[in-house]
Amino acid sequence: YPKDLFTECQIEDGAVIFHVMGMLYMFTALALICDEFFVPALEVIIEVTDISDDVAGATFMAAGGSAPEFFTSVIGVFISESQVGVGTIIGSAVFNVLFVIGMCAVFSKELLTLTWWPLFRDVTFYSIGLGILIVSFLDQKILWYEAVVLFSWYICYCLFMKINEPMEKFVSAQIAKLPCVHHETN
């Protein structure tokens, strides 16, 4: 890493504010670039290739949203040779599931209507993916074939998204056939 402009003493005396201002500047710049260029480019790709919203969300939009995390992990693992990559991946997943969804619901201009299917589908794929990750980490390293299995599971998810709507109808029809359990109140 390059040498810091400030000494430890200067940072403790308040120079850390310059680091904070630099980070805020970079976050703002990244947000502007994504809003003005990246998202519109993805929308054009999705429109031209005639991909459904579900498939687009699972592939292009997910990759676009995870690009900063991906590059942070690559730099952490290959350049600084630290374990920041794993922590970034797992921490980002928790952040996306809890904070981002919560903030979207809080600041939405209209009521967000959610159904059980996307939650069931994604939790199922996510749980299996976490299981694969846990098994891969048992020896505290991920070998190339384990990485292939993890990547293949993502490809399975993307392929499943292609048949998402018919699968939702099929599963809903099967659930509708189940006998209802009635609870009697006294």
Side-chain angles (χ1 to χ4, degrees):
Y1 293 113
K3 188 175 184 287
D4 200 338
L5 291 174
F6 306 106
T7 66
E8 282 292 321
C9 186
Q10 290 171 325
I11 289 173
E12 290 172 6
D13 287 341
V16 71
I17 193 70
F18 292 110
H19 288 286
V20 172
M21 288 173 24
M23 285 184 352
L24 291 175
Y25 175 78
M26 295 306 291
F27 287 142
T28 304
L30 182 62
L32 288 173
I33 289 169
C34 288
D35 284 347
E36 298 296 324
F37 300 103
F38 191 70
V39 172
L42 288 178
E43 288 171 350
V44 169
I45 292 169
I46 291 164
E47 184 179 321
V48 168
T49 56
D50 195 32
I51 296 175
S52 72
D53 287 343
D54 283 338
V55 176
T59 55
F60 292 111
M61 294 300 183
S66 297
E69 172 192 344
F70 172 73
F71 288 111
T72 300
S73 298
V74 168
I75 290 168
V77 170
F78 295 111
I79 295 175
S80 70
E81 296 178 7
S82 74
Q83 293 298 316
V84 73
V86 175
T88 301
I89 292 165
I90 295 174
S92 174
V94 172
F95 180 81
N96 288 337
V97 168
L98 301 176
F99 183 81
V100 173
I101 293 172
M103 286 296 103
C104 288
V106 167
F107 291 107
S108 176
K109 289 183 172 69
E110 57 189 51
L111 181 65
L112 292 179
T113 306
L114 302 174
T115 63
W116 67 274
W117 176 252
L119 180 65
F120 172 76
R121 175 198 66 214
D122 289 352
V123 165
T124 301
F125 272 93
Y126 193 70
S127 297
I128 293 169
L130 281 177
I132 295 169
L133 185 63
I134 289 167
V135 170
S136 299
F137 266 120
L138 287 177
D139 59 356
Q140 306 217 344
K141 56 186 167 190
I142 295 186
L143 302 172
W144 69 269
Y145 57 86
E146 293 167 331
V148 169
V149 170
L150 287 163
F151 183 72
S152 298
W153 186 242
Y154 177 71
I155 298 299
C156 289
Y157 176 71
C158 293
L159 293 173
F160 183 87
M161 293 304 288
K162 193 69 178 157
I163 60 167
N164 179 52
E165 289 181 33
M167 190 58 74
E168 179 181 4
K169 290 176 184 170
F170 173 77
V171 172
S172 294
Q174 298 309 309
I175 290 174
K177 292 179 185 177
L178 294 174
C180 292
V181 178
H182 297 285
H183 296 286
E184 292 185 29
T185 57
N186 293 334

